[in-house]
Amino acid sequence: MNERHGCISIDCDTISDYLVAYQIHPFSQKGDQTLDPVYAKGIPRFLDLFAELNIKATFFVVGRDLTNKSHLKIIRRIVEEGHEIANHTLNHRPDFLELSSAQKEKEIMCTDRMARELLGVKMVGFRGPGYEVDAETLRILRENGYLYDCSVFPSFLFPLIKMAVWLKSREKGKAKRFLSLLKRFGPWAMAPRLPYRPALDKVWQRADHNGHHRNEDNANKEILEIPITVLPILNLPFYGTFLLVAGKGYSWFSLSLVKKMTRILCFEYHAVDLVHLQENEVDPRLTVHPGLTIPLENKRSFIRDCLSQMQGRFQLLTGENLAKRYLHNTDLSHRSLL
Ligand SMILES: [Zn+2]
């Protein structure tokens, strides 16, 4: 029996979200009813691949898309095909961590409420926009029945990856921005590589097993941090878009290392990974986004191959099922598991 578990997740960020991330468009809370190429093509293509390979995955959905009728139809298909939908905030705000506690709660709980009302689904998983999460966000999640967060990216390259987006953007004051990214996300390189119960004040630190976080009052409010998988020993990034652009050599090397050494896999794609810039009529200014001009068939067969390799090594579950399996597993506090 395959004893190693893993989860595949898809971030459903739309082309509009990327235009904001690269500062091509200013952020706006206004939703519209146009069908975004990520929903028209990217998500259905991933759903077809998962059906073909018999994989159940987790889709991180931005709440605003639940108010778009065409997008809601695709989200219904995700649920009907047995996948999990999880919370990726209401508006995918680039300044999420700067918001007040009440605003953060609104960003999370509006999406939560819409998923319940429109789809009858109680979301239990969260990923911050741009992987951004803090202790306050985890508190809100704990208090609202969430089982896991899946935002921590424990690689020393993480601030640089975030900086790469800003270097391509039109933002001024880049040096200042880099220093703040380094200060905020630098310590994440020290986060555990396997799912852990985070401390109440630092998301990248494991809670003290004997501390207040484990007492009776909090026992049903525990949350599991499922960090994004990075390469064992080297701590280099290992996620869908990165593999697409890093080339076959890096991909096969990293896949074989992960298959050999990683105990619990948390692998992330973005639905835009199966969108093509020209073929799917994406705003040409998004040529700055990695992988968008790689021929679609090359991307699809490469992703199919990666998925089946991971499926051969790990029993793939949704984030929810992975969290349920490990949340109350006391072995997680044992260093031997790491
Ligand atoms: Zn996102």
Side-chain angles (χ1 to χ4, degrees), residues 11 13 62 88 92 128-130 270:
D11 283 16
D13 308 6
V62 175
H88 200 31
H92 207 273
H270 293 84

Side-chain angles (χ1 to χ4, degrees), residues 174-238:
K174 288 170 178 168
K176 213 172 132 203
R177 168 76 183 167
F178 180 60
L179 287 176
S180 79
L181 282 173
L182 206 59
K183 197 170 153 214
R184 182 171 272 164
F185 299 113
W188 284 23
M190 293 181 282
R193 305 291 184 263
L194 290 177
Y196 61 98
R197 299 180 194 90
L200 291 176
D201 56 344
K202 290 190 180 72
V203 293
W204 52 273
Q205 244 175 20
R206 182 193 305 276
D208 178 359
H209 184 55
N210 301 313
H212 55 284
H213 187 49
R214 290 286 296 163
N215 72 20
E216 288 300 303
D217 293 345
N218 285 330
N220 58 358
K221 285 188 181 170
E222 284 199 0
I223 195 161
L224 195 69
E225 179 60 45
I226 306 179
I228 312 270
T229 294
V230 293
L231 278 201
I233 306 166
L234 302 170
N235 283 355
L236 294 170
F238 180 71

Side-chain angles (χ1 to χ4, degrees), residues 22-51:
Y22 287 106
Q23 315 252 335
I24 295 169
H25 282 176
F27 171 73
S28 152
Q29 292 200 21
K30 263 193 236 145
D32 61 40
Q33 294 295 320
T34 51
L35 178 58
D36 191 281
V38 164
Y39 273 85
K41 303 291 178 191
I43 296 173
R45 284 170 182 154
F46 268 104
L47 284 170
D48 291 346
L49 265 185
F50 291 145

Side-chain angles (χ1 to χ4, degrees), residues 11-13 17-18 60 62 88 92 127-131 268 270:
D11 283 16
C12 300
D13 308 6
D17 293 320
Y18 289 107
F60 285 94
V62 175
H88 200 31
H92 207 273
R127 175 172 292 147
Y131 313 94
E268 182 212 22
H270 293 84

Side-chain angles (χ1 to χ4, degrees), residues 165 170 222 224 241:
V165 174
R170 297 159 182 211
E222 284 199 0
L224 195 69
T241 317

